[in-house]
Amino acid sequence: LDTTGDADSHVALKELTMLHEKKIENLEAELDEENRVREAMLEDKDSMISQLKKKLETQTKEMNSLLKKTANELATSAEHVEDTRVHIAYLSIQLRNAKELAASREFDADKWVMKEDYEAFQDEVETYK
């Protein structure tokens, strides 16, 4: 029997087995590293998503606050416009009534004395007394 061939093949098989075991260890180490990197990326992604959600919530609150403020300002502005419109209507009625009264009394607008002018005149007269 030729045992040298068997011994040589046994040594070669042993070396091949060790080589495959080393390759397996390297592949496992590479896989572990890839898993670690993937886990780190997932954690970073989750952290970024949380930050973006917080930022979005803050911006939404700020926008809602701004919208409420704008709505309140518009409502106040609308109230002022309505008050002005009512006041203009009131003055228009007063003017129409004054014109009707002047027409019925043959009122001369050039001789009309404004209340402020009359009061100023009265004050001036008081200074001479």
Side-chain angles (χ1 to χ4, degrees), residues 6-49:
D6 284 343
D8 287 343
S9 65
H10 182 66
V11 168
L13 187 59
K14 201 171 192 180
E15 286 176 358
L16 190 60
T17 302
M18 285 175 42
L19 186 65
H20 282 304
E21 285 175 349
K22 185 65 178 164
K23 258 188 185 176
I24 289 171
E25 283 178 21
N26 289 343
L27 287 172
E28 285 176 342
E30 193 178 315
L31 183 62
D32 287 344
E33 178 61 18
E34 286 180 7
N35 281 334
R36 189 192 63 73
V37 168
R38 186 179 59 80
E39 286 295 322
M41 289 173 67
L42 285 174
E43 287 175 13
D44 287 348
K45 179 193 67 138
D46 291 345
S47 173
M48 186 181 288
I49 287 173

Side-chain angles (χ1 to χ4, degrees), residues 111-123:
K111 295 180 183 174
W112 187 16
V113 177
M114 290 180 27
K115 181 180 178 188
E116 293 84 8
D117 293 339
Y118 178 74
E119 288 172 352
F121 174 73
Q122 289 291 81
D123 291 342

Side-chain angles (χ1 to χ4, degrees), residues 9 26 53 76 79 90 92 98 115:
S9 65
N26 289 343
K53 280 183 179 178
T76 300
E79 288 174 11
Y90 170 77
S92 297
K115 181 180 178 188

Side-chain angles (χ1 to χ4, degrees), residues 49-63:
I49 287 173
S50 293
Q51 289 175 354
L52 289 174
K53 280 183 179 178
K54 286 179 184 174
K55 188 175 181 180
L56 182 62
E57 287 174 8
T58 301
Q59 288 176 339
T60 301
K61 286 178 184 175
E62 289 172 357
M63 193 165 59

